[in-house]
C-alpha cells in the first residue's frame, strides 16, 4: 500500500471518526445516556466500566484500522469508483457488527431509535471517510482506470 493511499485513508478516518463521534455523543445526550456506546466497546474487549478504554479503541479503529481495511478491499466494494459511495457501503458492514454487539439490554422504541440512528451515523462515517480519501486521491470524478493506476 503506497504512502499516498495510507495518508488519504487515515485523513478520511480522522474526518469520519469525528463525524461518527459527534453523532454518537448527540445520541447519548438525546437518550440520556441509555446507549453508552463507548462502554459497549469496553465490555466487548473485557474491560467493563472503563469508558476511556472503549473510547480509545473506538478512535484507533475508526482512524486507523477501518480506513486501512477500506483501502485494502476497496476494489471489491460495489459502487466504485466513487470512494464516498464505497465508504458508505463499507460502513454498513461496520454498522451491522456495531448494532449487534452494542445493543445490550435495549428493547422497544429505544432499540429502534438506536438501530436507525447508528445506521445513519455509520453511513455518515463511511461517506465522510470516502470523500476525504477521494480528495487525497485526486477527487471523486476520476475514472476507475485512473484510480487503479494511482
Amino acid at each position: 500500500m503506497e504512502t499516498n493511499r495510507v495518508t488519504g485513508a487515515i485523513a478520511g478516518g480522522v474526518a469520519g471518526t469525528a463525524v461518527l463521534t459527534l453523532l454518537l455523543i448527540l445520541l447519548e445526550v438525546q437518550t440520556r445516556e441509555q446507549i453508552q456506546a463507548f462502554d459497549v466497546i469496553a465490555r466487548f474487549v473485557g474491560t467493563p466500566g472503563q469508558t476511556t478504554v472503549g473510547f480509545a479503541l473506538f478512535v484507533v479503529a475508526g482512524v486507523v484500522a477501518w480506513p486501512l481495511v477500506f483501502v485494502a478491499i476497496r476494489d471489491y466494494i460495489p459502487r466504485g469508483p466513487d470512494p464516498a459511495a464505497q465508504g458508505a457501503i463499507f460502513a454498513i458492514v461496520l454498522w451491522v457488527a456495531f448494532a449487534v454487539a452494542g445493543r445490550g439490554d435495549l428493547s422497544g422504541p429505544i432499540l429502534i431509535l438506536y438501530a436507525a440512528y447508528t445506521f445513519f451515523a455509520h453511513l455518515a462515517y463511511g461517506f465522510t471517510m470516502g470523500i476525504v480519501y477521494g480528495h487525497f486521491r485526486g477527487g471523486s470524478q476520476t475514472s476507475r482506470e485512473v484510480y487503479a493506476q494511482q
Side-chain angles (χ1 to χ4, degrees):
M1 200 177 307
E2 62 190 72
T3 305
N4 188 8
R5 294 174 77 183
V6 171
T7 303
I10 291 176
V14 168
T17 301
V19 168
L20 182 58
T21 301
L22 177 64
L23 291 173
L24 290 177
I25 288 172
L26 288 173
L27 179 63
E28 293 288 340
V29 170
Q30 290 299 316
T31 61
R32 297 185 179 140
E33 298 184 14
Q34 290 185 30
I35 305 296
Q36 300 179 343
F38 305 122
D39 284 341
V40 168
I41 296 169
R43 279 194 312 264
F44 186 74
V45 297
T47 58
Q50 296 192 10
T51 306
T52 306
V53 171
F55 181 72
L57 290 173
F58 171 82
V59 170
V60 168
V63 170
V64 179
W66 298 132
L68 293 180
V69 170
F70 170 72
V71 170
I73 66 170
R74 185 165 168 248
D75 290 341
Y76 306 103
I77 300 173
R79 307 299 297 168
D82 185 1
Q86 290 180 304
I89 291 171
F90 177 75
I92 290 172
V93 175
L94 298 178
W95 170 76
V96 170
F98 184 88
V100 170
R103 73 177 182 88
D105 297 333
L106 299 176
S107 63
I110 194 78
L111 179 60
I112 294 169
L113 172 68
Y114 166 79
Y117 192 90
T118 56
F119 180 77
F120 169 74
H122 278 79
L123 281 180
Y125 167 79
F127 183 83
T128 304
M129 177 186 65
I131 205 162
V132 171
Y133 173 77
H135 175 76
F136 273 79
R137 299 287 295 159
S140 62
Q141 299 302 316
T142 307
S143 69
R144 178 182 291 268
E145 293 78 24
V146 172
Y147 269 109
Q149 294 172 355
Q150 293 179 351

